[in-house]
Amino acid sequence: MTSEHFHVLFLLLFCVLHSSEQTCPSKCLCMSDTVRCSSVGLHKPPQSLPSFPANLDLSHNHITWLEPNTLTMMPRLEKLWMAHNEIRTLSRNLFRNVSGLRLLDLSSNRLQMVEQHYFHGLWRLEELRLFNNRITQVEDSSLSGLSSLKKVYFSFNQITYFPFFSIQDHTHPFLAMLDLSSNRMSSLPLDDVKALPQLVQQGLYTHNNSLICNCSMYAMFWHWSLREYNSIKDFTDEHTCNVDGDLQRPIRFFRDKRFFRNCTVERTVTEPVTVLLSDVVVFVGDRVRLDCQTSLSSTNLSFTWLSPSRGFITQSSMDDTLISMFPDGTLEIHATTISDSGMYLCTAVDIKQALNGTREVNVTVLLPASEPFNTGYTTLIGCMVTLVLILAYLFLTPCRCSFCKQPPVHSNQGTLSCILSSFTREQPNIDTLKHVAFREHPMGEERIEWIPQS
């Protein structure tokens, strides 16, 4: 057999192997960039998955285990659905060749814990679904390295503790939803929760847990309600707690307020508002505080504010009586003016560790809204006066008193003459008493003349 024959044979073998790799697995449906193998009774993934799909659906099967090389030949994979299976754990390096994965759905399985190595290498992952499993523990660094993460769902599990401290500005800058609802947490590490990035706080869902009632937790939820976070607005009645651990008598934070009457959370009218939002709207003359809360946790920080109207502001350069700066970096404007509107940038610097963090707050100062002129009362009074004058015009009899000299005019003019004459009659000490008479002008107009009494 010549070398040419070997060459032809090699090409044929390569074509056969290549075509087998791209063959759609049995029981699956393959189309353009998607392979769908859901609800076909699989107990393990197909042996030969094609390399072209960006979407792989293996949901609603009986899969219990994924081999480390299951996804090795699928470098284009972006979305993986594994929901409604029987997976109990994930092997190491399972996702080592699919770093472009953006959606991972492992909901409704039998996972019992989330280990540190589970999602290693998925730095482009944006959405992680782990709800409705049997998870009791989430290891501290299990979400580390997921720098593109936007949404994480841990609801409907058995989690009693979550490492909130592992979520920081520089580790998860895009995280906007952290759903921990319907678990078994009896308390929340309030200091760690309050230190979360503001975007995470706005999207933190903790309702339907086994929380023990206390004033600190009530105060936190109350402030979230004041800032109209969606987690509070959408699940107001589901935010409950238990008194003395009694799970049979849940207390609703926002309905059963009598249980929290001794908790001091409401501020007085003169107390300044500490702004934790990225955008704030105030009126001229309001007193407001802008916090400089960043991801840095050191107690030895220096703070610098860049103000749109006052330039750079530091504690050492404070010479303005209209503003104050606190040791924690909070900037207070005593009485806001229109010129205080704009973007405020705070920079926190840790000199020892050579780290810095920034925070931006956009402030809008509005003029006080003027009270609308209420024309209802004035209209009513005008109608009543008009009605009285019309009744007087129609029903008052002409004056027949002897001292009224009625000119030869209509009866309504005589009536008015009588009324006006009665006013002059009540002045007894005037020698030359006068009264008013109405006469017709030659041109058809009316004029008033003062005629001395004879």
Side-chain angles (χ1 to χ4, degrees), residues 194 214-224 263-265:
K194 293 177 181 179
N214 61 67
C215 288
S216 298
M217 195 174 303
Y218 173 69
M220 183 181 69
F221 287 145
W222 186 88
H223 283 100
W224 288 2
C263 297
T264 304
V265 295

Side-chain angles (χ1 to χ4, degrees), residues 168-315:
Q168 299 182 15
D169 268 327
H170 64 277
T171 60
H172 301 86
F174 307 107
L175 186 58
M177 176 176 289
L178 177 57
D179 189 355
L180 291 166
S181 62
S182 301
N183 276 282
R184 297 184 179 179
M185 293 185 291
S186 60
S187 63
L188 297 175
L190 298 183
D191 290 339
D192 292 341
V193 173
K194 293 177 181 179
L196 288 172
Q198 196 59 41
L199 193 61
V200 180
Q201 286 191 41
Q202 295 178 20
L204 177 59
Y205 291 77
T206 59
H207 58 276
N208 285 336
N209 270 276
S210 306
L211 301 176
I212 304 298
C213 299
N214 61 67
C215 288
S216 298
M217 195 174 303
Y218 173 69
M220 183 181 69
F221 287 145
W222 186 88
H223 283 100
W224 288 2
S225 175
L226 187 66
R227 292 171 174 84
E228 297 185 344
Y229 289 176
N230 288 334
S231 59
I232 303 295
K233 289 197 303 182
D234 298 341
F235 298 94
T236 301
D237 290 341
E238 285 78 5
H239 279 80
T240 60
C241 62
N242 306 306
V243 178
D244 298 328
D246 186 1
L247 301 179
Q248 303 300 321
R249 296 179 57 197
I251 305 300
R252 293 178 294 182
F253 278 104
F254 302 103
R255 304 297 184 192
D256 304 325
K257 293 186 178 180
R258 65 184 184 275
F259 290 96
F260 306 100
R261 63 181 61 178
N262 293 327
C263 297
T264 304
V265 295
E266 298 186 3
R267 63 181 180 90
T268 62
V269 177
T270 58
E271 181 184 353
V273 181
T274 299
V275 180
L276 297 177
L277 302 176
S278 298
D279 295 276
V280 60
V281 179
V282 295
F283 291 99
V284 170
D286 285 350
R287 186 158 58 120
V288 65
R289 288 179 180 175
L290 312 178
D291 81 293
C292 190
Q293 180 177 303
T294 65
S295 59
L296 302 181
S297 58
S298 175
T299 57
N300 187 21
L301 299 175
S302 62
F303 301 92
T304 302
W305 281 92
L306 178 59
S307 166
S309 60
R310 296 180 175 90
F312 287 98
I313 303 172
T314 61
Q315 285 184 315

Side-chain angles (χ1 to χ4, degrees), residues 53-67:
N55 308 307
L56 176 60
D57 186 359
L58 296 172
S59 61
H60 294 274
N61 283 291
H62 306 288
I63 300 174
T64 59
W65 171 253
L66 295 175
E67 296 289 341

Side-chain angles (χ1 to χ4, degrees), residues 43-55:
H43 289 272
K44 61 181 181 179
Q47 290 290 335
S48 58
L49 286 169
S51 60
F52 64 82
N55 308 307

